[in-house]
Amino acid sequence: MAAVLLSLFSAINAQTSSTDQVRLIRKDAEQKVEIRVNGELFTAYYFPGDLAKPVLYPIKSVAGNDLTRGFPLDPRPGERIDHPHHVGHWFNYGDVNGLDFWNNSDAIPAEKKSGYGTIRHRGVKSMIEKGNRAELEVETDWLAPNGEILLKETTRFVFISEGKKRSIERLTTLSAQNQPVSLKDNKEGMFAIRVARELEHPSDKPELFTDANGIATSVPSLNNEGVTGKYLSSAGKIGDEVWGTRGTWVNLSGEIKGEKVAIAILDHPSNPGYPTYWHARGYGLFAANPLGQKALSGGKDELNFGLKAGESVTFRYKILIHSGTSFTDELLHMEFGAFSKK
């Protein structure tokens, strides 16, 4: 049955993907590289100086609907305005040699900036276009407040369009420089997306969340009209039960302006901390955190990861996006199986 489902899914995509063209458009003056499918914006690698890290923003569905939240870059009516460091898709961590890279944003007062790290774009290494597939390789530096480089990052993004299905693979290598680098067990991490309001879980109560530095952020309840999101994990966890559990993938499904959409994140067996813990919140944070095991397991597990000077580590993840229907469990298990062999 599973093989039949995969064949049907591939056949449907094949009917519409033969003409898909993925293009990379470099716009240095605007500090971004756009990824376009058949001329329409899919996402952009965006690295303005006033953000504390490069991001993919926005991420759009096949129908052109925004899958990522607009705030703080382009606020939309009815959105939450919490957690200004949640922008599009990003990759960072809450404790790198004691510095918080995750929570850094322009909301942090100047007198507290000494406790936060920043990731700066250093250059585009390569751009390759292959029909319905494009690859973008970039380099960044993870900086302490005094400008010292703690980690050099090389990331290769692979963008693929197959009809109603799109995907983003991210291969990120972090290399310690002149000193050991500790990534102490921390809740705030690591591979993350902040989704649009429509993909949040409906909520009828105000909530309060505390970050690793003890800073509280109030998340008020909002009008739930059109809010349709629902998490499902490979371990069978549903909704808010996904948070703090392990799994090889999590799927978030919902509807935006009449378009049924699904976003899935796949872990990879080569990643440290595999299978990852999920830092997936109903208010729209969708994150895989393989290193924050103590915080997410309630003390059952712990992983204090580190690199010696000159050592490197590589993380690999995949984002799957589908329009029209959600992914079935069988298809996601198959997608994970294929991805895990890469």
Side-chain angles (χ1 to χ4, degrees):
M1 180 64 178
V4 172
L5 284 171
L6 183 59
S7 297
L8 287 172
F9 192 60
S10 299
I12 291 170
N13 283 324
Q15 291 173 11
T16 54
S17 64
S18 60
T19 59
D20 285 356
Q21 297 292 315
V22 182
R23 294 289 179 261
L24 303 176
I25 302 172
R26 188 166 175 173
K27 296 186 175 182
D28 290 345
E30 299 176 38
Q31 297 177 298
K32 65 181 179 180
V33 178
E34 291 184 345
I35 297 87
R36 290 183 171 268
V37 177
N38 299 330
E40 300 297 324
L41 183 66
F42 171 29
T43 187
Y45 172 73
Y46 189 42
F47 50 93
D50 56 354
L51 280 183
K53 72 273 187 180
V55 297
L56 293 185
Y57 176 85
I59 300 176
K60 290 180 173 288
S61 70
V62 172
N65 289 312
D66 287 300
L67 301 174
T68 44
R69 181 178 68 164
F71 178 83
L73 298 182
D74 184 22
R76 298 191 288 268
E79 287 188 324
R80 299 183 193 266
I81 55 171
D82 58 85
H83 301 80
H85 50 281
H86 292 176
V87 182
H89 158 64
W90 70 99
F91 181 95
N92 62 11
Y93 197 62
D95 191 333
V96 182
N97 282 10
L99 296 170
D100 185 352
F101 282 76
W102 176 272
N103 289 288
N104 197 3
S105 75
D106 59 8
I108 303 300
E111 64 270 18
K112 294 185 178 181
K113 278 288 190 178
S114 61
Y116 295 81
T118 303
I119 303 175
R120 285 287 171 242
H121 170 79
R122 292 306 181 204
V124 173
K125 195 172 181 181
S126 65
M127 294 171 52
I128 302 171
E129 299 174 344
K130 301 177 181 178
N132 72 332
R133 171 190 179 105
E135 299 181 12
L136 172 66
E137 190 168 9
V138 297
E139 296 176 319
T140 68
D141 291 340
W142 293 45
L143 303 172
N146 63 3
E148 181 181 14
I149 301 173
L150 300 180
L151 294 164
K152 279 193 169 291
E153 173 187 335
T154 300
T155 288
R156 178 166 59 90
F157 295 101
V158 180
F159 306 96
I160 300 174
S161 178
E162 300 173 293
K164 297 294 185 181
K165 184 179 74 170
R166 292 178 178 176
S167 63
I168 303 169
E169 293 184 24
R170 178 170 187 153
L171 184 72
T172 290
T173 299
L174 303 176
S175 302
Q177 296 304 290
N178 300 320
Q179 61 177 297
V181 175
S182 166
L183 288 88
K184 187 178 179 181
D185 196 303
N186 190 281
K187 176 170 67 71
E188 312 288 30
M190 184 172 201
F191 180 97
I193 306 171
R194 181 61 190 260
V195 299
R197 172 66 179 151
E198 293 91 336
L199 297 180
E200 294 178 15
H201 287 179
S203 174
D204 58 1
K205 61 181 180 179
E207 300 171 81
L208 192 68
F209 294 93
T210 305
D211 67 22
N213 295 305
I215 300 173
T217 300
S218 178
V219 183
S221 61
L222 300 174
N223 181 353
N224 286 314
E225 184 179 354
V227 179
T228 60
K230 189 174 185 179
Y231 289 119
L232 172 66
S233 80
S234 62
K237 300 296 183 180
I238 298 174
D240 290 329
E241 293 180 356
V242 169
W243 189 89
T245 63
R246 298 182 107 146
T248 56
W249 53 260
V250 168
N251 182 42
L252 175 61
S253 59
E255 185 173 319
I256 304 177
K257 297 179 181 177
E259 180 191 19
K260 294 184 183 299
V261 295
I263 306 172
I265 298 177
L266 311 184
D267 194 11
H268 194 278
S270 66
N271 289 335
Y274 172 86
T276 188
Y277 275 93
W278 293 95
H279 188 17
R281 295 290 200 185
Y283 67 81
L285 172 63
F286 186 9
N289 185 355
L291 306 184
Q293 297 190 4
K294 183 176 182 179
L296 291 164
S297 71
K300 182 181 68 175
D301 298 319
E302 184 170 359
L303 178 60
N304 291 306
F305 187 80
L307 296 170
K308 297 177 182 178
E311 284 188 336
S312 299
V313 63
T314 297
F315 296 86
R316 184 193 291 265
Y317 294 96
K318 185 171 185 176
I319 301 171
L320 288 172
I321 299 167
H322 194 261
S323 175
T325 59
S326 185
F327 296 109
T328 65
D329 293 8
E330 292 84 0
L331 285 170
L332 284 170
H333 284 309
M334 282 185 245
E335 289 277 7
F336 167 75
F339 180 56
S340 67
K341 293 179 175 60
K342 290 189 175 183

